[in-house]
Amino acid sequence: MILIDNYVEVLSREGDDDHPIEIRQSEYWKTMVTPGSLLMGFRLKHELTQQELAERSGISQVMISDYETGKRKLTMKAACKFAKAIEETPEKFFP
């Protein structure tokens, strides 16, 4: 599977009729993707630990853990701090 911007291309075997789909329209995205899972994904993409992201963003490691596990709802204010820390846009943290 290859993620290209908001599209996922499903790698197919010979004879399959799989085609690229818009990821935000997939059943998986609608049911499984949360702001916390997106935060974790971007943190890992940038090869940061929770502690490193905490130091860059000014938000505690415990709060980051709470956001990632869904114990606490991610706010736009926090998303802006995370986005600035990893040079992404805050909207990317919301499905």
Side-chain angles (χ1 to χ4, degrees):
M1 188 180 303
I2 301 172
L3 178 60
I4 303 171
D5 292 322
N6 285 336
Y7 287 86
V8 170
E9 183 174 343
V10 179
L11 300 179
S12 60
R13 294 181 292 251
E14 195 171 311
D16 285 349
D17 61 356
D18 291 336
H19 58 282
I21 61 168
E22 209 279 313
I23 192 169
R24 291 179 187 264
Q25 300 303 317
S26 70
E27 193 61 32
Y28 175 81
W29 188 273
K30 292 176 185 175
T31 59
M32 302 298 291
V33 176
T34 65
S37 65
L38 291 171
L39 173 61
M40 182 187 299
F42 280 108
R43 177 177 61 77
L44 295 173
K45 173 185 170 187
H46 291 276
E47 299 180 347
L48 297 172
T49 64
Q50 288 181 347
Q51 186 58 45
E52 290 168 331
L53 181 57
E55 291 166 5
R56 287 187 183 194
S57 66
I59 296 175
S60 75
Q61 180 274 321
V62 172
M63 291 278 287
I64 292 171
S65 176
D66 286 350
Y67 288 135
E68 288 184 356
T69 59
K71 291 180 183 174
R72 188 178 292 266
K73 185 177 178 180
L74 184 64
T75 63
M76 183 54 82
K77 184 177 178 179
C80 288
K81 289 181 180 184
F82 293 133
K84 185 176 180 182
I86 60 174
E87 299 178 350
E88 297 283 352
T89 61
E91 294 79 17
K92 288 186 176 182
F93 297 111
F94 300 97

